Amino acid sequence: YALSDAGEIARAEEVVRSALDRLDETADPYMRVRLYWSMARLAHTEGRESVALTNVRKAIALLQTTDDTFHLARAHILAAGIMLGRESPDSAEAHVDNAERLLGSATAPQDTFEIKQHRSRIALLRGQPDLAVRFAREALVIGKAAQPADEGVASFALADALSLRGELDAASDA
């Protein structure tokens, strides 16, 4: 994460790949999950959605062998974001649905925020501006309470949804 934050994505990926190569098959599955997760996030950051998807699928497969529904749900949230990057709303929605089912009533605000964001983007890709606006506004409320960056992401989704609805002045304000 430090290398990624410093903009050294290629170096970060090299470090994670090296760590994966050194793990044997009997190593702690959570270590392997974290490394696959990191590879997925790095690839997603660079727009290499196929590589990201391959790695998040590996993380999901390993998590399915455990009783860890919390991290499995979060992996599905990450997978949904990757599918949205590929403009695949049906697959993204399946991952969001799985995440919601796994989280149940124990959803943390950050997870709820990401789920609302993803639902807004799914609606946008399907040409459903009213639904996209609704989810974006719900995410914006959560984002304001969480972090300024979340508020920015939610505002961006709201602007896209309002623009699709033809409300250009409101989209510009958002």
Side-chain angles (χ1 to χ4, degrees):
Y1 288 119
L3 289 168
S4 178
D5 290 345
E8 296 185 43
I9 305 295
R11 176 74 178 119
E13 190 171 337
E14 179 184 317
V15 168
V16 173
R17 186 173 285 115
S18 174
L20 268 169
D21 290 344
R22 285 183 286 176
L23 283 179
D24 61 30
E25 292 300 321
T26 61
D28 174 20
Y30 285 102
M31 177 61 72
R32 191 170 292 282
V33 165
R34 284 189 287 276
L35 292 171
Y36 284 135
W37 190 298
S38 294
M39 289 292 289
R41 290 188 61 182
L42 290 168
H44 182 55
T45 299
E46 290 186 312
R48 295 180 305 130
E49 305 304 342
S50 292
V51 173
L53 190 57
T54 296
N55 283 290
V56 80
R57 283 180 174 156
K58 289 177 182 178
I60 287 171
L62 280 172
L63 284 166
Q64 286 174 330
T65 65
T66 71
D67 291 328
D68 190 346
T69 57
F70 175 74
H71 286 101
L72 180 56
R74 286 202 163 166
H76 278 291
I77 292 170
L78 175 59
I82 293 166
M83 296 312 297
L84 287 169
R86 297 180 78 167
E87 296 190 3
S88 181
D90 294 339
S91 295
E93 185 175 50
H95 284 291
V96 169
D97 290 345
N98 280 328
E100 284 185 321
R101 180 183 49 77
L102 290 164
L103 289 169
S105 62
T107 309
Q110 184 63 36
D111 297 323
T112 302
F113 172 80
E114 289 188 52
I115 287 169
K116 298 286 185 187
Q117 278 294 106
H118 290 339
R119 292 223 181 266
S120 179
R121 291 283 172 205
I122 290 165
L124 278 170
L125 288 171
R126 290 181 172 158
Q128 301 169 318
D130 294 339
L131 194 56
V133 166
R134 189 185 99 209
F135 283 124
R137 285 189 171 141
E138 290 172 5
L140 190 54
V141 169
I142 298 164
K144 283 183 180 181
Q147 302 179 37
D150 289 346
E151 184 178 353
V153 170
S155 294
F156 182 74
L158 179 59
D160 278 352
L162 290 168
S163 178
L164 183 63
R165 216 161 61 174
E167 298 177 34
L168 301 183
D169 289 339
S172 180
D173 290 344

